[in-house]
Amino acid sequence: MISRFAAGQLSPARRASDLERLRDRRYDVLIIGGGVTGVGAALDAAARGLSVALVEARDLASGTSSRSSKLIHGGLRYLEQLEFGLVHEALRERGLLATRLAPHLVRPLPILVPLTASPGPLGSAERAWHRTYYGAGVALYDAFAGVVGRSVGRGMPMHRHLSKTMARRLFPSLREDVLAGAIRYYDGQVDDARYVTTMARTAASLGAAIVPSVRVVDLVRDAREVTGVRARDEETGQEFEIAARTVVAATGVWSDDISALLGDVRPGLRVRASKGVHLVVPRSAISGDAGLILRTATSVLFVLPWGGHWIIGTTDTDWQLDRAHPAASARDIAYLLNQVNHWLDRPLSTSDIEGVYAGLRPLLSGEDEQTSKLSREHAVVEPMLGLMLVAGGKYTTYRVMAADVIDRAARRLGPDVPQSHTDQLPLLGADGYGPLWNRRADVARRHGLSVGAVEHLLERYGSLSLELLALIDADPALGQPVHGAPEYLAAEIAYAASHEGALHLEDVLTRRTRISIETTHRGVDSSAHTARLMGTVLGWDDEVRDREVQHYLARVAAERESQRMPDDLTADAARLGAPEVRGGLRDWSGSSRGARRTEPDWSESVPGA
């Protein structure tokens, strides 16, 4: 009998066989979009025993699902907007993920709410009001978590009020003159792209066909009913049809492009893109053992520890340019530095920045003109028989969104479809994680690795780490660090290509690992070594390896150039200077390689954090 691990392997051979399955059979559910909601829907449907296929134009989590604030959270700031239902729902999901579904991927993160020092005779009263106001909000947050924790587990410690001295002891970089104290609470932290990849493998282990690099180019209809899609394999250029009883478009900020295919049929929802930019700086740039949540004039700012780094974000601005590669401008970077430097005793500068990333939140439009106040609720609509659209929401509540849209599909498929039970289904790597963590020193000794290296693997793969350790046992060279990225092992690169569906260099450097944002060279110094490791698995010759490296170098150069541009328009133009690696050898425009595509890019469903 095949194991869950083996059944969930997204290998090159599995992709080839799944491509054949796409052509040859009719699915109960076909999902467009490989972000957290699309993959969550694939897992939900497969767990109900339905036949499921998922296609993704680029890579798993290639949009906002790899570019969030890396938080699994209830949305403390939504309490202020009186979104009590959303907060309650999100806290329940947070508890599930941290205690039952993915304890190897979601872990508690302490966050401080700094209280501002107010000079003058009214200062003490104002400080007392701030502590009461924010304290009441955090207490209500914990109260909601306690209610849902009775059934699913809290997963996070309780909040605590801190004096000024205690706050600075926990976060020495906070400016003494602006600080009156703090409140410490907890939310969850996750590597968002790794979570999506692990969930995709879990869906594959239940029989779902998960096929990245397949682009939907049209809907197939029978009269006024959608019966499938026309798709193109981006690796070969071959087009084919996929038949399905229901089609689910979980396409995030590309939802309106799907709607455009419906002609005069009103889709029932519209999605608006809001750009969120994050900076990554080294851990040594800021002294602190917790994160920060800071108020700004338009939104909130997070300063979050991330391994040997800090993540600082985010912006919240309307975006109407290229959605595949939202660009961070010099203005975005300056805004974030200005906001965070108000609170730090040693101001940060652009020389401190290791990485920058930008993503687009898919917000349901029509609620408010300010994107930060648009509703984070989600919607499921069926604008045409056989086609469901799901949009909105947030990363933390992906499982609720997925269950809702598959419930809608189930009503079409018949009365015998079971209810969702993904709240009881741990992701691959969760089973056995606890005992392995407790024995990590022994595991390290048996495999000839440092305890730190084994902890790194366990926190990224859980019990799937056994597969990586087996690769290292078979080839000890895979136990060595990646060139230019000592935090990662060579085995992780090979594993990404052999088990996790990675097809191109950027898939590994930007999503299966975070080398592209965690190193000052942005992955350039790691590209050749990574290409050799991937090429061994994927059968690349010298020409393909060189082409992959050149594509990646062009991507990094374009991103660096965009981040020097003064505004969105010039940053977008600079970022589009790098051609796409998928389909890069084919003639998209009829005359030149790598030309900018004019088709909609329905890459994924991606609520931001």
Side-chain angles (χ1 to χ4, degrees), residues 188-260:
Q189 188 169 57
V190 68
D191 183 326
D192 45 12
R194 173 139 303 282
Y195 190 95
V196 172
T197 299
T198 305
M199 186 163 53
R201 291 191 60 190
T202 307
S205 75
L206 298 176
I210 306 291
V211 192
S213 217
V214 169
R215 179 181 298 272
V216 169
V217 296
D218 204 355
L219 301 175
V220 176
R221 304 191 213 181
D222 181 2
R224 296 185 65 82
E225 179 180 8
V226 173
T227 59
V229 303
R230 184 156 189 82
R232 179 174 61 231
D233 180 0
E234 292 288 73
E235 302 304 311
T236 65
Q238 295 179 350
E239 292 195 4
F240 55 94
E241 291 189 359
I242 309 171
R245 298 172 67 190
T246 57
V247 175
V248 172
T251 49
V253 294
W254 288 271
S255 295
D256 290 353
D257 294 325
I258 290 284
S259 300

Side-chain angles (χ1 to χ4, degrees), residues 68 74 85 136 141 161 209 222 243 264 328 343 396 463 478 517 531 562 586 589:
S68 74
Y141 196 62
H161 283 257
D222 181 2
D264 58 357
W343 289 92
T396 302
S463 56
L478 295 178
I517 61 170
S562 70
R586 296 197 307 279
S589 66

Side-chain angles (χ1 to χ4, degrees), residues 384-465:
M384 184 174 287
L385 288 176
L387 175 67
M388 287 84 181
L389 307 181
V390 56
K394 58 201 291 283
Y395 195 110
T396 302
T397 57
Y398 80 86
R399 198 191 61 80
V400 177
M401 297 172 65
D404 283 354
V405 72
I406 300 303
D407 281 346
R408 186 73 171 259
R411 292 201 289 271
R412 173 179 171 80
L413 295 172
D416 297 329
V417 178
Q419 294 294 310
S420 174
H421 64 276
T422 51
D423 60 340
Q424 304 293 325
L425 179 62
L427 300 190
L428 289 182
D431 293 337
Y433 164 67
L436 271 175
W437 180 262
N438 293 335
R439 295 187 296 108
R440 60 193 183 278
D442 181 57
V443 171
R445 192 163 43 249
R446 284 190 287 111
H447 292 278
L449 297 173
S450 69
V451 175
V454 171
E455 289 178 345
H456 165 84
L457 293 178
L458 288 171
E459 289 180 339
R460 286 171 51 75
Y461 305 93
S463 56
L464 288 170
S465 299

Side-chain angles (χ1 to χ4, degrees), residues 95 99 224 493 511 557-558 587:
T99 63
R224 296 185 65 82
I493 307 301
R511 288 175 287 276
D587 186 352

Side-chain angles (χ1 to χ4, degrees), residues 142-376:
D142 271 351
F144 275 131
V147 170
V148 300
R150 295 170 190 165
S151 58
V152 302
R154 289 180 53 88
M156 305 290 156
M158 294 286 289
H159 78 280
R160 182 184 177 188
H161 283 257
L162 305 177
S163 67
K164 177 178 179 177
T165 299
M166 293 175 66
R168 293 200 75 243
R169 188 176 300 155
L170 193 59
F171 207 107
S173 282
L174 280 170
R175 278 176 53 192
E176 187 172 7
D177 60 318
V178 300
L179 186 69
I183 302 169
R184 183 183 64 192
Y185 76 101
Y186 287 79
D187 262 322
Q189 188 169 57
V190 68
D191 183 326
D192 45 12
R194 173 139 303 282
Y195 190 95
V196 172
T197 299
T198 305
M199 186 163 53
R201 291 191 60 190
T202 307
S205 75
L206 298 176
I210 306 291
V211 192
S213 217
V214 169
R215 179 181 298 272
V216 169
V217 296
D218 204 355
L219 301 175
V220 176
R221 304 191 213 181
D222 181 2
R224 296 185 65 82
E225 179 180 8
V226 173
T227 59
V229 303
R230 184 156 189 82
R232 179 174 61 231
D233 180 0
E234 292 288 73
E235 302 304 311
T236 65
Q238 295 179 350
E239 292 195 4
F240 55 94
E241 291 189 359
I242 309 171
R245 298 172 67 190
T246 57
V247 175
V248 172
T251 49
V253 294
W254 288 271
S255 295
D256 290 353
D257 294 325
I258 290 284
S259 300
L261 294 179
L262 300 175
D264 58 357
V265 176
R266 295 177 63 86
L269 60 79
R270 291 190 62 81
V271 173
R272 182 171 173 182
S274 170
K275 185 178 70 168
V277 175
H278 294 80
L279 311 180
V280 181
V281 302
R283 195 67 180 263
S284 59
I286 302 172
S287 296
D289 294 318
L292 300 176
I293 180 172
L294 308 170
R295 292 297 300 265
T296 73
T298 58
S299 185
V300 297
L301 186 74
F302 286 106
V303 183
L304 304 172
W306 175 255
H309 317 270
W310 293 91
I311 292 175
I312 301 169
T314 178
T315 61
D316 201 345
T317 56
D318 198 30
W319 179 263
Q320 298 178 350
L321 301 170
D322 182 71
R323 285 162 292 171
H325 306 291
S329 68
R331 178 185 299 166
D332 296 321
I333 294 169
Y335 168 82
L336 291 173
L337 291 176
N338 289 337
Q339 293 296 324
V340 74
N341 283 340
H342 172 74
W343 289 92
L344 299 180
D345 61 356
R346 186 189 79 81
L348 300 176
S349 69
T350 54
S351 63
D352 292 303
I353 296 173
E354 295 176 301
V356 181
Y357 63 93
L360 300 178
R361 303 179 190 88
L363 304 176
L364 297 181
S365 64
E367 309 291 336
D368 191 286
E369 286 304 309
Q370 295 181 356
T371 59
S372 63
K373 295 182 180 179
L374 287 172
S375 173
R376 301 310 299 272

Side-chain angles (χ1 to χ4, degrees), residues 534-565:
M534 291 186 69
T536 300
V537 176
L538 299 176
W540 292 349
D541 58 21
D542 290 344
E543 181 182 356
V544 174
R545 283 198 302 270
D546 290 345
R547 184 173 71 242
E548 287 284 332
V549 169
Q550 292 307 311
H551 268 286
Y552 186 77
L553 298 184
R555 173 187 180 276
V556 171
E559 286 189 345
R560 286 188 183 276
E561 181 66 15
S562 70
Q563 291 156 20
R564 289 189 284 265
M565 296 295 104

